């Protein structure tokens, strides 16, 4: 999507490359992620004010390690290399890069030796976050050392003549608390950006892009009622009006009263063309006996696409399928150099050949950015701040086989969890909160009788996006209320446990 000014991020396979793009956007500059192997011509097609080389898991010495087009260093575009990006720049331009004796991971004390450029206005002593094995021991010709640590002699380097800069640490992570200031210096002082990217400018560009691509065509939208697909619905409706038809599929895997809420909101309040497909029997039949989470996702994804294509054929002349895919869905499903964490039904499981062309306006955005756009579009808080819900629904919040009986148990328990978290004032403070039904059973005592029932897992996390999250410190009183109500009100559960894992190393969802 074109922007008045933007910076290109070349992705070398770091799981958090998009965090770099996010930090840039927080400075009101649009960022676009491209493959590390994009040619200079492909990069220049975006008219970037700057280029950032991301980190990555490889060593610059490994056979087949990703490299960038060497011509970009002489293209007159400012470049910032981060971790692997700095090492690659150092090696390609004639510096010396060696493997470290030990991999350095964690906080480090940084001594700034040149307070111009990237470090302008910052303290000479700073705390940063390191995560690397190789490091630059001698900068390339024309570069000067701008920061160091006790164990890394070249923690940052710059060539002010060619406007090439590198840092060994990670300014994109929250563990480098002043990292946003470094990005701001790169963007405003070095690249000459002005900060023209805002939610409203993104909306204007998205609508224009949709109109240009769709023309006089017709679009069907996979509508779930969550903030992602709702934002896409409003964008498409503003762009093409009644040539949009929203298709809501009741998979039988939704939360309590969700089908009714979607009907009320979009048919009643927004007056959109809405088709409600009751496909619960169809999905549950396909999932019978399936316990593996990747198989669940694959089956659900394929069935979603099949239903949309069937409905599109009934509608007649439809060319496009729209989805609310976000970047965390894409990066977790694997990129060219990034490992697959889990496939998403709307990314990794799509069949190679589809009769409909995909439209994914939110594909490069984080959840918090989508919410900012939702507010700008005037969507109600009940949609804007609705907790994320996985496309495969309760099927991946139910460890093991999916059955109607287990779904009924999980729905009732999850509704209690959300009700109590709202009552405690933690719904908006949480990024996600939900229940997971485990296949484990435990012995309990109820009414002086032995029980042998299911274990329910409670999960609540805080954070701004789906790439990193911390477990929510819910009040003990809230945890006690949830446990007491679930055990007393939901037959089939006699024990509640609380997940206190962060992401990473865990994921937010269990499957």
């Amino acid at each position: 999507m074109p922007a008045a000014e933007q910076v290109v991020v070349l992705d070398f396979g770091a799981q958090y490359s998009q965090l770099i793009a996010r930090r840039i956007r927080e400075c009101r500059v649009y960022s676009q992620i491209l493959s590390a192997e994009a040619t200079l011509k492909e990069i220049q097609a975006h008219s970037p004010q700057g280029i950032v080389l991301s980190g990555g898991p490889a060593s610059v010495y490994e056979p087949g390690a990703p490299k960038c087009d060497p011509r970009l260093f002489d293209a007159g575009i400012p470049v910032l290399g981060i971790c692997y990006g700095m090492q690659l720049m150092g090696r390609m331009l004639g510096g010396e890069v060696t493997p470290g004796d030990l991999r350095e991971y964690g906080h480090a004390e940084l001594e700034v030796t040149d307070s111009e450029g990237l470090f302008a206005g910052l303290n000479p002593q700073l705390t940063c976050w390191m995560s690397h094995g190789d490091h630059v021991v001698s900068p390339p010709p024309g570069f000067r050392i701008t920061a160091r640590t006790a164990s890394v002699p070249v923690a940052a380097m710059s060539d002010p003549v060619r406007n090439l800069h590198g840092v060994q640490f990670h300014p994109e992570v929250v563990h480098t608390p002043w990292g946003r200031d470094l990005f701001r210096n790169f963007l405003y002082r070095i690249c000459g950006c002005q900060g023209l990217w805002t939610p409203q400018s993104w909306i204007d560009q998205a609508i224009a892009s949709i109109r240009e691509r769709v023309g006089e065509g017709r679009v069907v939208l996979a509508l779930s009622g969550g903030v992602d697909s709702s934002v896409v619905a409003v964008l498409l409706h503003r762009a093409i009006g009644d040539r949009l038809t929203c298709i809501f599929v009741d998979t039988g895997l939704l939360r309590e009263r969700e089908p009714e809420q979607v009907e009320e909101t979009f048919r009643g309040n927004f007056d959109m063309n809405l088709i409600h497909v009751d496909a619960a029997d169809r999905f549950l039949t396909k999932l019978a006996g399936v316990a593996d989470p990747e198989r669940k996702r694959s089956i659900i994804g394929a069935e979603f696409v099949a239903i949309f294509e069937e409905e599109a054929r009934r509608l007649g002349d439809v060319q496009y399928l729209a989805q609310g895919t976000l970047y965390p869905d894409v990066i977790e499903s694997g990129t060219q150099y990034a490992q697959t964490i889990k496939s998403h039904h709307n990314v990794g499981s799509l069949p190679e050949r589809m009769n409909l062309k995909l439209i994914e306006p939110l594909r490069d955005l984080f959840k918090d950015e989508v919410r900012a756009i939702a507010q700008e579009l005037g969507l109600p808080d009940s949609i804007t701040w609705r907790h994320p819900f996985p496309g495969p629904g309760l099927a991946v919040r139910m460890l093991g086989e999916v059955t109607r009986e287990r779904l009924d148990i999980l729905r009732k328990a999850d509704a209690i969890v959300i009700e109590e978290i709202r009552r405690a004032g933690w719904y908006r403070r949480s990024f996600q909160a939900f229940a997971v039904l485990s296949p484990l059973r435990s012995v309990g005592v109820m009414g002086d009788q032995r029980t042998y029932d299911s274990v329910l897992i409670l999960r609540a996390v805080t954070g701004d996006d789906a790439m990193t999250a911390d477990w929510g410190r819910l009040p003990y009183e809230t945890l006690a209320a949830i446990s007491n109500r679930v055990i007393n009100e939901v037959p089939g559960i006699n024990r509640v446990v609380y997940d206190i894992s962060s992401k990473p190393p865990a994921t937010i969802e269990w499957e």
Side-chain angles (χ1 to χ4, degrees):
M1 185 183 303
E5 57 181 18
Q6 66 174 293
V7 167
V8 165
V9 179
L10 296 187
D11 181 11
F12 289 91
Q15 287 293 340
Y16 304 110
S17 289
Q18 186 68 0
L19 287 179
I20 299 172
R22 182 165 178 258
R23 295 294 176 249
I24 294 170
R25 293 173 191 169
E26 287 171 354
C27 298
R28 298 178 65 172
V29 176
Y30 184 70
S31 54
Q32 179 73 32
I33 292 184
L34 300 180
S35 165
E37 296 182 350
T39 65
L40 177 60
K41 183 178 180 180
E42 290 170 336
I43 295 169
Q44 289 175 326
H46 294 268
S47 302
Q49 273 67 37
I51 300 170
V52 178
L53 312 181
S54 82
S59 164
V60 293
Y61 294 106
E62 290 178 4
K67 293 180 174 61
C68 61
D69 189 329
R71 296 172 296 174
L72 67 85
F73 297 120
D74 296 310
I77 306 170
V79 178
L80 170 63
I82 296 174
C83 196
Y84 180 89
M86 170 172 152
Q87 297 158 14
L88 182 67
M89 183 191 302
R91 182 169 169 79
M92 292 180 70
L93 295 178
E96 183 181 358
V97 181
T98 63
D101 295 331
L102 294 173
R103 177 178 172 84
E104 186 176 32
Y105 182 84
H107 286 103
E109 297 303 317
L110 188 75
E111 178 187 352
V112 176
T113 58
D114 187 333
S115 59
E116 299 298 318
L118 292 178
F119 297 98
L122 297 175
N123 294 328
Q125 302 291 330
L126 298 163
T127 299
C128 65
W129 185 262
M130 294 282 191
S131 178
H132 65 97
D134 298 345
H135 61 263
V136 178
V137 294
S138 178
F143 281 78
R144 62 173 182 249
I145 298 171
T146 56
R148 62 191 175 207
T149 70
S151 58
V152 179
V154 186
M157 63 183 191
S158 290
D159 178 346
V161 175
R162 288 183 290 176
N163 248 340
L164 306 178
H165 311 268
V167 295
Q168 183 57 70
F169 53 89
H170 288 269
E172 73 273 22
V173 301
V174 295
H175 309 294
T176 303
W178 48 274
R180 189 178 301 174
D181 296 321
L182 184 141
F183 279 113
R184 191 175 290 111
N185 281 337
F186 177 67
L187 296 170
Y188 286 83
R189 289 177 175 269
I190 295 172
C191 298
C193 294
Q194 302 176 54
L196 304 177
W197 189 72
T198 63
Q200 186 56 57
S201 70
W202 186 93
I203 290 167
D204 294 340
Q205 292 157 15
I207 290 173
S209 178
I210 290 167
R211 286 174 177 163
E212 180 181 359
R213 183 177 181 196
V214 173
E216 295 301 315
R218 298 177 64 193
V219 181
V220 290
L221 166 66
L223 179 66
S224 70
V227 64
D228 306 331
S229 62
S230 298
V231 165
V232 174
V234 175
L235 286 171
L236 285 164
H237 197 251
R238 289 191 182 183
I240 63 172
D242 288 342
R243 286 182 286 120
L244 165 69
T245 298
C246 298
I247 299 177
F248 170 68
V249 179
D250 182 356
T251 61
L253 307 171
L254 302 176
R255 291 174 290 193
E256 195 171 79
R257 286 207 76 251
E258 279 192 315
E260 295 84 355
Q261 291 168 356
V262 170
E263 283 271 0
E264 292 166 5
T265 300
F266 291 92
R267 203 189 298 276
N269 298 339
F270 288 102
D271 194 27
M272 293 185 186
N273 297 329
L274 176 64
I275 295 174
H276 184 163
V277 181
D278 185 352
D281 290 342
R282 183 168 169 174
F283 277 88
L284 292 178
T285 299
K286 292 276 187 178
L287 290 168
V290 178
D292 179 75
E294 285 298 283
R295 282 196 64 205
K296 290 180 188 177
R297 289 176 178 273
S298 179
I299 289 169
I300 292 167
E303 203 64 17
F304 260 117
V305 173
I307 289 172
F308 289 134
E309 290 186 322
E310 290 168 11
E311 294 301 322
R313 283 195 295 271
R314 291 191 184 97
L315 287 169
D317 185 23
V318 175
Q319 299 82 29
Y320 297 94
L321 165 64
Q323 296 187 146
T325 307
L326 301 189
Y327 189 79
D329 302 338
V330 177
I331 196 68
E332 287 188 337
S333 294
T335 60
Q336 182 175 4
Y337 297 111
Q339 183 181 6
T340 298
I341 297 174
K342 59 185 179 183
S343 61
H344 289 256
H345 81 283
N346 54 345
V347 181
S349 302
L350 291 177
E352 291 183 6
R353 296 185 64 181
M354 290 181 58
N355 294 329
L356 300 175
K357 301 171 186 177
L358 276 178
I359 295 178
E360 298 172 313
L362 312 181
R363 189 179 176 88
D364 292 326
L365 298 184
F366 281 98
K367 181 70 74 173
D368 59 320
E369 294 173 323
V370 175
R371 285 185 169 137
I373 290 165
Q375 289 182 306
E376 193 73 28
L377 288 169
L379 287 165
D381 285 352
S382 59
I383 292 177
T384 300
W385 296 101
R386 180 177 181 260
H387 281 187
F389 188 59
L394 297 180
V396 291
R397 289 183 176 174
M398 177 179 300
L399 311 185
E401 185 179 0
V402 179
T403 67
R404 291 184 187 274
E405 180 184 9
R406 298 187 77 213
L407 283 167
D408 289 340
I409 291 172
L410 182 53
R411 272 196 198 92
K412 292 174 184 175
D414 188 75
I416 291 171
V417 169
I418 296 303
E419 185 178 332
E420 290 299 328
I421 284 177
R422 286 187 186 278
R423 180 176 287 122
W426 265 82
Y427 190 82
R428 284 281 294 269
R429 296 173 66 182
S430 303
F431 181 77
Q432 272 180 275
F434 54 91
V436 176
L437 186 62
S438 84
L440 300 175
R441 301 178 72 188
S442 70
V443 174
V445 178
M446 299 178 73
D448 295 326
Q449 293 186 349
R450 178 185 184 273
T451 62
Y452 189 55
D453 287 328
S454 296
V455 176
L456 188 80
I457 302 157
L458 172 61
R459 180 75 159 142
V461 298
T462 59
D464 293 327
D465 55 66
M467 296 300 290
T468 60
D470 195 10
W471 64 277
R473 271 63 169 178
L474 296 179
Y476 288 157
E477 294 81 4
T478 303
L479 294 173
I482 291 171
S483 178
N484 184 64
R485 285 194 60 193
V486 166
I487 291 171
N488 280 280
E489 298 177 28
V490 184
I493 297 175
N494 68 358
R495 192 179 299 269
V496 177
V497 299
Y498 189 38
D499 179 354
I500 58 170
S501 308
S502 63
K503 176 184 180 180
T507 57
I508 295 176
E509 301 285 347
W510 272 59
E511 289 191 342

